[in-house]
Amino acid sequence: ILNVEQSPQSLHVQEGDSTNFTCSFPSSNFYALHWYRWETAKSPEALFVMTLNGDEKKKGRISATLNTKEGYSYLYIKGSQPEDSATYLCAFYYYSGSARQLTFGSGTQLTVLP
Amino acid sequence: EAGVVQSPRYKIIEKKQPVAFWCNPISGHNTLYWYRQNLGQGPELLIRYENEEAVDDSQLPKDRFSAERLKGVDSTLKIQPAELGDSAVYLCASSPAGDTQYFGPGTRLTVL
């Protein structure tokens, strides 16, 4: 099982602030990187699927970038709103032999204060 | 389209008791996953099914955990006997082709 790190572990921002957090993963055997949002008492929800170095994805005020050579992905939220409060998880898919394996990071818990 | 259904949502048991969780994936999704998520950590894969075949159960503690996916649809995860350290959220997810996963709401297990 490979190590996937997310930072920061938690953060509080004011409504309207922009913020970003990081997912770091091994740069070898990369297959894909997924971002999920997990709101309290709800199911984790897929945000982005990123597969190519240099990928940039955007959904509303949320965007993500991917650097597979150096092993990191950034998630950005522009103009944070209270409804953005959630835990943001990244999932690293990698090749292990001929199979694909998956490891989740521990998440970044975001709280947006009104 | 109905999402992934899990039951129960919450379960409190005493240690050494058995417990079972049930998952109904999204219709047509061949891949089914069971995860355990401890407080402050990311989901940890316990077992992955492709149809009715368990293709990755390397992280499943087989002395007390068991799972089945009869007919390649619904799945159950069982713990017998439960230990204090089994307290966690147990998540089920499904996917159509082994990539993007659709999660259920999870079962929060408390072992006293």
Side-chain angles (χ1 to χ4, degrees):
Chain A
I1 298 178
L2 303 181
N3 193 36
V4 177
E5 295 186 357
Q6 290 190 247
S7 63
Q9 188 172 9
S10 66
L11 76 161
H12 293 70
V13 301
Q14 290 294 134
E15 182 176 356
D17 287 351
S18 293
T19 186
N20 65 87
F21 18 94
T22 307
C23 173
S24 301
F25 49 87
S27 56
S28 58
N29 301 322
F30 177 88
Y31 174 74
L33 193 286
H34 293 199
W35 281 99
Y36 291 85
R37 174 170 58 199
W38 193 0
E39 296 179 65
T40 302
K42 294 186 178 180
S43 308
E45 170 197 4
L47 286 174
F48 302 115
V49 175
M50 312 185 78
T51 57
L52 298 175
N53 184 44
D55 256 358
E56 292 188 25
K57 297 285 179 81
K58 186 175 182 181
K59 183 185 291 188
R61 295 178 291 97
I62 304 177
S63 60
T65 62
L66 178 67
N67 184 322
T68 61
K69 293 184 178 180
E70 296 183 36
Y72 65 84
S73 176
Y74 292 141
L75 189 79
Y76 301 90
I77 303 178
K78 183 178 179 182
S80 302
Q81 300 297 308
E83 58 264 31
D84 296 328
S85 297
T87 296
Y88 291 83
L89 292 164
C90 66
F92 171 57
Y93 284 78
Y94 59 97
Y95 289 103
S96 178
S98 60
R100 289 202 305 264
Q101 303 290 342
L102 163 68
T103 298
F104 275 87
S106 56
T108 292
Q109 187 173 9
L110 173 67
T111 303
V112 182
L113 305 170
Chain B
E1 179 184 80
V4 176
V5 179
Q6 287 188 248
S7 68
R9 291 293 307 274
Y10 304 91
K11 188 74 176 179
I12 301 173
I13 60 172
E14 294 188 346
K15 63 181 181 181
K16 300 185 181 179
Q17 294 299 306
V19 65
F21 314 125
W22 175 79
C23 174
N24 182 251
I26 293 173
S27 178
H29 284 194
N30 297 329
T31 309
L32 184 145
Y33 309 77
W34 280 105
Y35 292 92
R36 174 171 60 190
Q37 197 237 356
N38 293 306
L39 191 64
Q41 299 179 21
E44 171 196 358
L45 181 68
L46 293 174
I47 189 167
R48 175 169 64 98
Y49 283 93
E50 295 290 345
N51 298 304
E52 65 272 15
E53 181 183 359
V55 296
D56 184 357
D57 62 356
S58 57
Q59 300 302 311
L60 189 72
K62 297 181 182 64
D63 56 336
R64 298 182 299 106
F65 286 65
S66 64
E68 61 182 12
R69 191 184 184 196
L70 299 176
K71 301 181 181 178
V73 182
D74 294 5
S75 177
T76 57
L77 177 69
K78 298 178 181 178
I79 308 174
Q80 182 171 11
E83 296 179 353
L84 294 176
D86 295 331
S87 295
V89 175
Y90 290 83
L91 289 164
C92 178
S94 68
S95 67
D99 287 341
T100 299
Q101 298 181 42
Y102 297 82
F103 285 85
T107 297
R108 182 175 294 279
L109 173 68
T110 302
V111 182
L112 303 176

